[in-house]
């Protein structure tokens, strides 16, 4: 799982010198709304649209019903990928053309909101409170958190992507009502559930919800998430979908070739002639059935060849996959297609040869039961030059040469490969038909031939019988002469490649070239001997062929063991039994195959984690190194199946649980001795990121660096270093753990979504004399040491008790509650509901309590300011013109925003009334300072109280503009 590390700091717009107008040019809400609405609706109209709107009867042949069903499948897949994006904080890449495959009101509302924010505007997603929870987008800062008809909402626009309504906010209800009436007249209906139940667009409860129901804010930007929809995608990532199928169901297999779905996707795979859809590629009852359904887009395949033409391993792999699938097909449909209709001559020829390959494979299976040697060497008679196995290899080499020519743009390579293909075909025809033609001539039924045989020349050639016999015997020689130049070219290519290679690769090329020369020479000599009538040509050919095959097998066996030893440790006995097996085409004992499979899976896992963490660190350049844990890898038993050569053992891939092993890593003295460490290629910082995943881990952070621990499932015993460490809990704790921050100012960050409905968590930070604790709603308690800061989760309700030192408490949850200690604490308030803060006791005039209040808050209750001596500073995410200060009874109310009685910051116990009825403030005006986002210091005159018998007073504010170069001291 990809990590995500949100910032701890207060938002940048709390800095009084930063203005929104300085980052983007000011545009009206109407302009931004219209542009964003048009962009999303245009993309929406080109997709499957919604799954809950239909016309006509509920029948299978109804286009709208079928489209809605398809949209439902796509939308479910999109919703799952968007949940993963949000959990991993993955931002999908921006596409050149906006695509919206499918979606209902919620998806459209979020897509429009995202587009508005990207264009420099402000947007919120709102919802109806009743009847289906219909969602829409509000563009501009709304004057209230809820409304019925949006009256007097000047300058605010509403975009309803699902209904196609775009209007100024006060006109939205009337326009939406008219739209529903128009839908009714047009026969459009609304699907209210997945069972197909329908409702009229003018149904009574729905219309009442439109006209008189409450509408409220559902989602809005926050200080830490200025665009909360930035992770949303509107088109399915089908490659990612196939990767998930690979992880859940395992890779596909054609014979002894394993193929991942993502590999097929990269090669341009089509399923039943169509691009991959929500179904993905499911496992079929037989590989032949799946192979028949697969085709490849020739343009995508050619592009892949060109992209990877420098990688010989990649090229070999693509051809192996293509041939494995081809050999399991019984369909006559071409394997390579082009949906534009123009496949081109090269890929047409490839299709013809792949079809021939399939026929040869069928013949080969039958011949194998008669004579294994003649499958790879000259056939039943020495005059037959190319056996079935050599023909298959010849086609494979030639098609691969065509692909190489396409990839590298080399016309000479293409010409040779095309010639080799043609030679294989002509050679095959000559070897098959010339003997039959000779026998036919011997029957004397061709008058022209008979006449020629009686001429002087014919008589010298031996007459009718001998000429026809010679024609039949010449088949092998003709086959050799046709294909021999290409065998020589292959050998020459091997020697040339050897000259350009080094080490084992060069050695392999030399051996391959030598065997090719020996094979061509022996075939030429034996074909001549057979033509001359040498009876021993056949046995000698088989003997030579067997020696060549044995030599090739011995070399391959030695190289296989050598390569194996470079990957896993082998004893002398292991080398012996594996080498003997490899000579005859085997792969060694199963226990060695299991060790090899685990090793290779480990290497793939490490490569994958390295790539993931490098990508993560590229976006987070403050990290210099990332450490990851071991995967839990378990080998699986093999399958034994019928294949091309009798029965074969097919190794199954081991199961891999990503980052799930029990890790013990001591990094106190640095990362040099740690095995699984990734360096940041663009490092700008020196921090260390720990990503050890699930499992029972014991980790010790680097002493002289800032460490960030990505905490997941299992029993965790974690110790930080001597600087500022962050312990980020990304899943709900199910086991007790021990979190020791070490020295420095350390942060506990809650970043998970609870599994149950009870979402409360209690945190008591440690003091100098006692440990702290973290207790979940399920009474799982972990011990805390050396923490001073906490960041809460928006999905939790947290109760925090700070230590006696200075603490930073970032409150993101719904109804968080915090109690400060005897220090200069900082409270960053982003959460919803009623946030309850008690600054604690023991504060002196040397302390400063600072608050950052986000614009999205509902109500913040602050207690304890009146009894202490500390100065208080409230940084408000509002302009100075929006802020009002009232006395209401004994409390001080700060009302941010115009006409926002529901949104308030309440400072309790700030005023007192004595026995004589005289009111007075318990703190001086200089002890309380407000700072607005437009750069003003506002000091409420607490002493300016009315002594009349009134419940509340409006207190004047003394405003002073801050200098342009001012920055908030001690900002977190």
């Amino acid at each position: 799982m990809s990590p995500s590390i949100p910032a701890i700091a207060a938002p940048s717009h709390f800095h009084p010198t930063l203005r929104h107008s300085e980052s983007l040019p000011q545009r009206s809400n109407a302009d931004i709304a219209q542009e964003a609405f048009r962009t999303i609706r245009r993309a929406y109209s080109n997709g499957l649209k919604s799954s809950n709107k239909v016309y006509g009867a509920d029948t299978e042949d109804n286009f709208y019903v079928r489209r809605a069903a398809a949209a439902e499948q796509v939308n479910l897949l999109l919703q799952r990928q968007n949940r993963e994006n949000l959990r991993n904080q993955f931002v999908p890449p921006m596409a050149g053309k906006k695509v919206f495959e499918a979606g209902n009101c919620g998806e459209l509302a979020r897509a429009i909101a995202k587009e508005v924010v990207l264009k420099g505007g402000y947007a919120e997603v709102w919802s109806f409170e009743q009847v289906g929870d219909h969602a829409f987008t509000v563009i501009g800062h709304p004057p209230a958190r809820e409304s019925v008809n949006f009256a007097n909402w000047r300058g605010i626009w509403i975009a309803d992507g699902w209904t196609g309504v775009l209007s100024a906010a006060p006109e939205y209800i009337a326009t939406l009502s008219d739209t529903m009436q128009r839908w009714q007249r047009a026969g459009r209906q609304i699907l209210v559930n997945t069972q197909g139940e329908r409702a009229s667009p003018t149904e009574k409860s729905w219309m009442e919800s439109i006209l008189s129901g409450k509408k409220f804010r559902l989602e809005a930007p926050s200080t830490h998430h200025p665009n909360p929809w930035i992770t949303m995608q509107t088109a399915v990532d089908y490659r990612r979908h196939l990767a998930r199928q690979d992880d859940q169901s395992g890779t596909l297999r054609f014979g002894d070739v394993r193929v991942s779905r993502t590999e097929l996707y990269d090669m341009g795979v089509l399923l039943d002639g169509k691009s991959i859809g929500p179904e993905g590629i499911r496992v079929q009852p037989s590989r032949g059935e799946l192979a028949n359904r697969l085709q490849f887009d020739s343009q995508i395949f050619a592009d892949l060849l060109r992209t990877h033409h420098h990688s010989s391993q990649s090229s070999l792999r693509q051809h192996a996959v293509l041939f494995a699938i081809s050999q399991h097909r019984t369909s006559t449909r071409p394997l390579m297609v082009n949906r534009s209709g123009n496949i081109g001559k090269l890929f047409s020829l490839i299709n013809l040869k792949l079809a021939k390959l399939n026929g040869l494979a069928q013949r080969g299976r039958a011949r194998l039961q008669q004579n294994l040697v003649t499958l790879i060497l000259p056939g039943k008679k020495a005059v037959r030059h190319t056996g079935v196995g050599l023909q298959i290899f010849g086609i494979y080499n030639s098609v691969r040469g065509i692909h190489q020519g396409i990839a590298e743009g080399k016309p000479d390579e293409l010409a040779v490969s095309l010639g080799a293909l043609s030679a294989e075909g002509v050679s095959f025809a000559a070897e098959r038909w010339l003997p039959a033609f000779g026998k036919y001539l011997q029957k004397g039924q061709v008058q022209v031939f008979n006449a020629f045989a009686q001429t002087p020349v014919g008589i010298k050639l031996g007459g009718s019988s001998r000429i026809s016999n010679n024609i039949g015997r010449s088949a092998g020689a003709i086959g050799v002469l046709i294909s021999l130049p290409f065998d020589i070219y292959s050998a020459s290519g091997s020697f040339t490649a050897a000259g350009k290679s080094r080490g084992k690769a060069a050695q392999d090329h030399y051996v391959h070239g030598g065997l090719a020369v020996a094979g061509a020479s022996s075939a030429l000599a034996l074909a001549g001997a057979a033509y001359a009538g040498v009876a021993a040509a056949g046995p000698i050919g088989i003997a030579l062929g067997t020696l060549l095959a044995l030599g090739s097998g011995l070399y391959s066996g030695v190289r296989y063991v050598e390569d194996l030893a470079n990957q896993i440790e082998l004893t002398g006995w292991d080398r012996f039994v594996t080498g003997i097996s490899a000579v005859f085409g085997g792969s060694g004992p199963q226990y060695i195959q299991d060790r090899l499979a685990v090793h290779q899976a480990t290497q793939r896992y490490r490569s994958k984690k390295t790539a993931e963490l490098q990508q993560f660190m590229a976006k987070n350049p403050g990290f210099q190194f990332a450490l990851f844990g071991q995967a839990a890898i378990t080998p699986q038993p093999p399958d034994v199946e019928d294949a091309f050569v009798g029965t074969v053992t097919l190794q199954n891939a081991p199961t891999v649980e990503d980052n799930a092993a029990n890790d013990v890593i001591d990094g106190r003295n640095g990362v040099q001795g740690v095995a699984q460490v990734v360096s940041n290629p663009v490092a700008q910082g020196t921090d260390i990121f720990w990503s050890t995943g699930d499992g029972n881990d014991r980790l010790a952070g680097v002493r002289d660096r800032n460490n960030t621990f990505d905490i997941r499932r299992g029993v965790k015993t974690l110790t930080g270093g001597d600087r500022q460490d962050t312990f980020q809990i990304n899943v709900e704790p199910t086991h007790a753990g021990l979190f020791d921050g070490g020295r420095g100012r350390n942060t506990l960050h809650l970043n998970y979504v609870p599994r149950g409905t009870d979402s409360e968590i209690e945190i008591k930070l440690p003091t100098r004399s006692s440990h702290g604790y973290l207790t979940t709603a399920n009474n799982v308690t972990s011990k805390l040491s050396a923490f001073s800061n906490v960041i809460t989760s928006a999905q939790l309700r947290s109760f925090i008790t700070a230590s006696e030192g200075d603490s930073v408490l970032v409150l993101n949850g719904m109804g968080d509650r915090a109690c400060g200690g005897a220090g200069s604490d900082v409270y960053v308030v982003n959460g919803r509901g009623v946030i309850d803060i008690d600054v604690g006791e023991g504060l002196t005039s040397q302390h400063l309590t600072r608050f950052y209040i986000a614009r999205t808050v509902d109500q913040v209750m602050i207690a304890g300011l009146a009894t202490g001596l500390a100065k208080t500073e409230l940084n408000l995410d509002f302009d100075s013109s929006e802020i009002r200060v009232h006395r209401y009874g004994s409390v001080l109310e700060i009302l941010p925003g115009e006409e926002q009685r529901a949104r308030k910051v309440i400072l309790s116990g700030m005023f007192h009334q004595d026995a004589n009825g005289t009111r007075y403030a318990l703190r001086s005006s200089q002890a309380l300072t407000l700072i607005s986002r437009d750069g003003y210091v506002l000091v409420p005159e607490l002493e300016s109280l009315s002594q009349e018998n009134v419940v509340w007073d409006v207190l004047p504010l003394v405003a002073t503009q801050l200098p342009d170069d001012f920055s908030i001291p001690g900002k977190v």
Side-chain angles (χ1 to χ4, degrees), residues 729-811:
I729 302 177
N730 289 308
V731 296
E732 183 173 0
T734 56
H735 300 82
L738 173 60
F739 305 139
D740 184 348
R743 298 180 181 178
R745 293 177 53 79
N746 306 305
T747 300
L748 185 68
H749 183 185
L750 307 178
N751 190 42
Y752 67 87
V753 177
R755 291 176 297 175
T757 56
D758 191 353
S759 59
E760 295 184 353
I761 189 167
E762 182 179 359
I763 299 172
K764 183 181 183 302
L765 293 179
T767 65
R768 296 185 182 92
S769 58
S770 63
H771 290 289
Y773 58 82
L774 179 153
T775 302
T776 69
N778 297 320
N779 290 320
V780 176
T781 299
S782 296
K783 187 182 294 185
L784 305 177
S785 296
F787 285 92
S788 55
N789 307 326
V790 176
I791 304 174
T792 71
S793 169
Q795 311 298 327
L796 298 169
R797 187 184 183 199
S798 302
F799 305 104
I800 306 170
T801 302
S803 63
E804 66 268 21
D806 299 343
S807 294
V808 177
L809 307 180
V810 182
L811 308 177

Side-chain angles (χ1 to χ4, degrees), residues 397-657:
N397 251 358
S398 300
V399 172
R400 179 182 160 202
I402 290 177
H403 289 173
Q404 192 72 14
I406 293 172
E408 299 182 8
K410 294 181 177 179
D412 55 340
E413 189 74 27
L414 278 173
V416 171
S417 299
L418 288 169
L421 272 178
S422 302
E424 290 292 343
V426 174
S427 170
F428 177 72
E431 293 164 16
R432 182 172 181 178
W433 296 109
L434 282 178
F437 182 56
K439 291 180 181 179
Y440 181 70
L441 292 177
Q442 282 181 335
K443 295 179 180 179
Q445 297 178 357
V446 181
Q447 294 181 2
V448 175
F449 174 74
N450 292 335
F452 170 76
Q454 295 172 8
T455 64
V457 176
I459 293 172
K460 288 184 178 181
L461 292 175
S464 173
S465 175
R466 189 169 181 180
I467 293 174
S468 59
N469 188 41
N470 287 342
I471 290 175
R473 290 191 303 172
S474 67
I478 291 174
V480 169
L481 293 175
I482 291 172
S483 58
L484 182 62
F486 301 101
D487 293 334
I488 296 172
Y489 179 85
S490 176
S492 174
S494 295
F495 290 130
T496 301
K500 297 178 180 179
S501 305
R502 295 290 183 272
K504 298 297 182 183
Q507 177 179 308
D508 291 345
H509 285 305
Y510 281 125
V511 171
H512 177 78
L515 290 173
V517 170
S521 301
S522 61
L524 182 62
L526 291 172
Y531 179 77
V534 178
I540 292 173
I542 293 176
L544 286 175
T546 302
L547 288 174
L548 286 172
L550 182 60
S552 177
L554 286 171
Y555 177 76
S556 298
V558 171
R559 288 287 284 117
Y560 177 74
V561 172
E562 199 173 69
D563 290 341
L564 196 63
N566 289 331
Q567 299 180 71
I568 60 176
E569 185 175 349
L570 297 176
T571 65
W573 174 252
D574 292 339
R575 291 172 181 267
F576 175 74
V577 295
T578 303
I580 293 297
S581 176
V583 167
F584 296 99
S587 52
Q590 186 57 44
Y591 72 91
I592 291 180
Q593 293 307 305
D594 288 343
R595 285 162 52 193
L596 178 62
V598 170
H599 170 78
Q600 291 174 340
T602 301
Q603 295 302 107
R604 289 193 297 270
Y605 162 74
R606 288 178 176 174
S607 297
K608 173 187 172 186
K609 295 303 293 183
T610 297
E612 286 179 358
L613 290 171
Q614 284 180 336
Q615 182 180 15
F616 165 72
M617 288 191 292
K619 297 178 181 178
N620 298 271
F623 292 108
Q624 184 179 10
F625 297 105
L627 291 80
F628 63 96
Q630 297 279 4
I633 302 176
T634 306
Q636 299 299 301
D639 294 334
V640 178
E641 295 186 1
D642 291 333
F644 192 79
V645 184
T647 60
V648 296
T649 300
L650 303 175
Q651 301 297 331
N652 284 311
T655 60
V656 180
E657 295 180 66

Side-chain angles (χ1 to χ4, degrees), residues 120 134 238 283 292 321 355 457 515 547 663 693 700 816 823 825 950:
H134 176 62
Y238 285 104
V283 177
N292 286 335
V321 170
V457 176
L515 290 173
L547 288 174
D663 299 302
D816 283 351
D825 296 330
V950 293

Side-chain angles (χ1 to χ4, degrees), residues 274-351:
K274 301 177 183 178
S275 299
I276 298 301
E279 177 189 2
I281 303 177
R282 297 179 180 173
V283 177
Q284 301 293 320
S286 70
R287 290 182 294 278
E289 179 182 342
L290 177 59
N292 286 335
R293 297 179 65 194
L294 298 181
Q295 292 175 294
F296 293 89
D297 187 311
S298 61
Q299 185 59 52
I300 296 176
F301 190 79
D303 290 342
L304 180 68
L305 291 175
R306 295 186 187 100
T307 302
H308 297 288
H309 77 272
H310 293 297
S311 172
S312 59
Q313 290 300 318
S314 176
S315 177
L316 284 171
R317 174 62 182 171
Q318 291 151 14
H319 297 100
V321 170
L322 202 64
F323 272 69
I325 293 174
S326 177
Q327 291 183 58
H328 283 84
R329 284 165 56 89
T330 58
S331 171
T332 57
R333 294 191 306 168
L335 188 61
M336 308 299 298
V337 297
N338 190 311
R339 285 178 287 181
S340 67
N342 182 21
I343 191 173
K345 295 181 180 179
L346 291 178
F347 280 103
S348 296
L349 182 58
I350 289 173
N351 278 330

Side-chain angles (χ1 to χ4, degrees), residues 627 664-671 673-674 690 698-703:
L627 291 80
V664 178
I665 304 175
D666 186 350
R668 286 175 292 182
N669 296 323
V671 300
V674 179
W690 295 73
R698 300 179 65 87
L699 312 176
V702 180
R703 284 196 182 99

Side-chain angles (χ1 to χ4, degrees), residues 829-909:
V829 184
N830 301 311
R832 305 281 299 279
V834 178
I835 307 297
D836 196 347
I837 300 172
D838 188 330
V839 298
E841 301 177 352
L843 299 179
T844 70
S845 60
Q846 302 302 313
H847 292 107
L848 170 63
T849 303
R850 183 178 290 121
F851 298 85
Y852 295 92
I853 309 296
R855 192 177 187 88
T856 54
V857 301
D858 295 325
Q859 186 168 306
V860 183
M861 305 283 293
I862 302 175
L865 294 178
T867 58
L869 299 176
K871 294 180 180 179
T872 303
E873 178 184 286
L874 279 82
N875 296 268
L876 303 173
D877 189 18
F878 295 88
D879 292 335
S880 56
S881 60
E882 300 179 273
I883 299 171
R884 304 289 183 271
V885 178
H886 297 168
R887 177 199 63 82
Y888 187 81
S890 63
V891 305
L892 179 69
E893 288 187 346
I894 302 171
L895 307 177
E898 296 181 1
E899 302 177 4
Q900 288 293 301
R901 294 289 300 179
R903 180 184 295 160
K904 61 182 68 175
V905 179
I906 299 174
L907 281 58
S908 64

Side-chain angles (χ1 to χ4, degrees), residues 66-274:
R66 287 187 285 110
R67 186 179 69 179
E72 176 70 14
Q73 287 187 324
V74 172
N75 199 26
L76 289 173
L77 185 52
L78 268 173
Q79 289 173 353
R80 189 186 71 218
Q81 291 194 344
N82 278 321
R83 286 194 298 270
E84 293 171 352
N85 291 352
L86 183 61
R87 183 169 60 247
N88 300 330
Q89 284 298 291
F90 170 73
V91 179
M94 299 287 288
K97 179 182 178 183
K98 182 70 68 175
V99 177
F100 194 105
E101 278 195 80
N104 297 330
C105 60
E107 289 74 31
L108 284 160
R110 293 179 178 93
I112 293 173
K114 174 183 177 179
E115 192 72 15
V116 167
V117 176
L118 290 175
K119 294 180 183 300
Y122 178 86
E124 297 179 354
V125 174
W126 280 51
S127 174
F128 284 37
E129 191 173 49
Q130 301 171 348
V131 190
D133 298 327
H134 176 62
F136 55 94
T137 312
V138 173
I139 296 94
H141 289 280
R145 294 176 53 82
E146 61 183 44
S147 181
V148 173
N149 56 16
F150 310 102
N152 301 319
W153 277 32
R154 293 185 300 274
I156 307 300
W157 278 66
I158 291 179
D160 191 332
W162 186 72
T163 64
V165 170
L166 174 68
S167 68
E171 302 168 7
Y172 171 63
I173 297 302
T175 307
L176 180 60
S177 178
D178 291 344
T179 301
M180 293 301 101
Q181 298 292 340
R182 190 171 68 253
W183 281 18
Q184 176 70 20
R185 292 191 296 272
R188 181 177 294 187
Q189 294 178 301
I190 301 172
L191 291 176
V192 297
N193 54 39
T194 56
Q195 285 72 44
E197 183 181 348
R198 301 185 179 199
S200 165
T202 57
E203 191 267 336
K204 181 180 178 182
S205 61
W206 169 233
M207 292 303 295
E208 288 177 351
S209 181
I210 292 175
L211 297 172
S212 58
K214 183 186 296 183
K215 294 86 180 173
F216 65 95
R217 183 172 68 188
L218 185 66
E219 299 168 3
S222 67
T223 52
H224 285 302
H225 300 285
N227 189 345
W229 311 282
I230 194 66
T231 62
M232 180 186 180
Q233 63 189 53
T234 54
V236 175
D237 184 342
Y238 285 104
R239 191 182 193 282
R240 193 165 123 202
H241 177 45
L242 294 178
R244 189 170 189 267
Q245 284 190 322
D246 283 334
D247 290 340
Q248 291 182 336
S249 306
T251 54
L252 305 171
R253 190 170 59 206
F254 299 93
D256 57 355
V257 177
R258 281 194 169 276
V259 188
S260 70
R261 293 167 178 83
T262 54
E263 203 170 5
L264 295 177
Y265 183 86
D266 294 339
M267 292 171 64
V269 72
L270 304 173
L271 188 67
D272 298 326
K274 301 177 183 178

